[in-house]
């Protein structure tokens, strides 16, 4: 039986893709050595993370993303343990971009309850491309998580580009407590080096807790991956 939120998201995905305005569908097949979310290790082993995004010229988009364990790190080999459904609207000017959205988190094949977030992301088209994202869990956690990041990049050749992304997270007391912390504060730090060319991309990341009271030490600090999009 498909949960109602899943069914609604799939119907919305089809609606956007079939809209009379110009619409696009993008597919991604990503593989990583581990699954780390906001500094939290969810899978200490290889994962496959497919996704599909349907969008149109109006700025609306629907994304379906999943995480499937490729080994038995969680005793869940070849099973999906998370599916995220995101509806978003992007807008802005040449200098400032913004996006608002809603995320439905589902955890099939696990004992975890699903939850929901709303979010706002702001970005500036200047040197270092700074961005700020603020998320609020409106269901199970009922608290904030925010992330500030900067990005640098350039061309290696006509067919390849490089990027460096640096970010830091902050979490409220209830968000930290939901994932094993004892108090809110500075949460996770991330440094990612990436290469991309055409339909492929690859990355290496270092992630760590910025405050052990907010985010306890995690088993994965380094991870790497490769993805294909079409």
């Amino acid at each position: 039986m498909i949960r109602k939120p899943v069914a609604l998201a799939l119907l919305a995905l089809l609606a956007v893709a079939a809209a009379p305005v110009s619409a696009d569908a993008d597919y991604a097949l990503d593989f990583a050595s581990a699954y780390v979310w906001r500094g939290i290790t969810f899978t200490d082993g290889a994962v496959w993370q497919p996704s599909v995004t349907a969008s149109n010229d109006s700025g609306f988009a629907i994304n379906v993303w999943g995480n499937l364990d490729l080994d038995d790190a969680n005793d869940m080999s070849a099973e999906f343990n998370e599916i995220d459904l995101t509806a978003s609207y992007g807008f802005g000017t040449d200098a400032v971009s913004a996006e608002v959205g809603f995320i439905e988190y589902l955890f099939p094949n696990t004992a975890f309850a699903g939850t929901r977030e709303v979010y706002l992301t702001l970005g500036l088209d200047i040197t270092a491309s700074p961005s700020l994202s603020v998320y609020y869990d409106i269901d199970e956690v009922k608290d904030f998580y925010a992330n500030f990041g900067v990005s640098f990049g350039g061309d290696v050749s006509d067919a390849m580009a490089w990027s460096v992304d640096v970010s830091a997270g902050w979490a409220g007391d209830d968000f930290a407590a939901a994932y094993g912390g004892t108090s809110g504060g500075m949460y996770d730090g991330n440094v990612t080096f990436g290469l991309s060319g055409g339909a492929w991309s690859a990355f290496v990341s270092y992630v760590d807790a910025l405050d052990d009271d907010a985010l306890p030490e995690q088993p994965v600090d380094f991870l790497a991956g490769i993805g294909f999009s079409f």
Side-chain angles (χ1 to χ4, degrees):
M1 180 178 179
I2 299 178
R3 281 186 55 183
K4 185 177 179 181
V6 181
L8 290 176
L10 293 176
L11 287 174
L13 179 63
L14 291 173
V16 172
V21 296
S22 177
D24 295 303
D26 300 308
Y27 306 88
L29 302 174
D30 297 333
F31 300 86
S33 59
Y35 173 31
V36 177
W37 177 78
R38 298 177 185 172
I40 307 165
T41 299
F42 279 106
T43 302
D44 186 5
V47 295
W48 176 47
Q49 297 173 332
S51 68
V52 57
T53 303
S55 61
N56 59 40
D57 293 340
S58 66
F60 287 98
I62 296 289
N63 172 269
V64 180
W65 176 95
N67 182 77
L68 181 142
D69 285 8
L70 291 176
D71 60 23
D72 232 9
N74 292 331
D75 297 323
M76 294 184 63
S77 178
E79 290 186 285
F80 280 98
N81 54 24
E82 181 174 340
I83 296 175
D84 298 346
L85 311 168
T86 302
S88 63
Y89 173 66
F91 56 97
T93 67
D94 291 340
V96 180
S97 61
E99 182 176 295
V100 294
F102 169 86
I103 308 172
E104 176 89 21
Y105 295 93
L106 305 173
F107 303 103
N109 304 308
T110 77
F112 298 113
T115 193
R116 301 173 174 90
E117 285 184 337
V118 292
Y119 71 89
L120 168 66
T121 295
L122 298 173
L124 297 178
D125 187 14
I126 60 175
T127 302
S129 302
S131 63
L132 174 66
S133 299
V134 180
Y135 302 83
Y136 185 76
D137 188 302
I138 60 175
D139 191 2
E140 291 292 318
V141 178
K142 294 182 173 63
D143 204 357
F144 287 95
Y145 170 85
N147 187 276
F148 176 76
V150 294
S151 299
F152 306 86
D155 293 329
V156 177
S157 67
D158 291 340
M160 186 183 300
W162 65 271
S163 63
V164 175
D165 300 294
V166 181
S167 65
W170 180 91
D173 290 341
D174 291 339
F175 185 94
Y179 298 100
T182 57
S183 65
M186 296 303 296
Y187 202 68
D188 62 306
N190 183 305
V191 179
T192 298
F193 174 73
L195 291 173
S196 61
W200 67 271
S201 62
F203 75 91
V204 177
S205 291
Y206 172 74
V207 295
D208 203 359
L210 297 179
D211 182 347
D212 289 344
D213 291 334
L215 176 61
E217 188 64 30
Q218 300 292 305
V220 173
D221 288 330
F222 290 94
L223 64 154
I226 188 168
F228 305 92
S229 59
F230 53 96

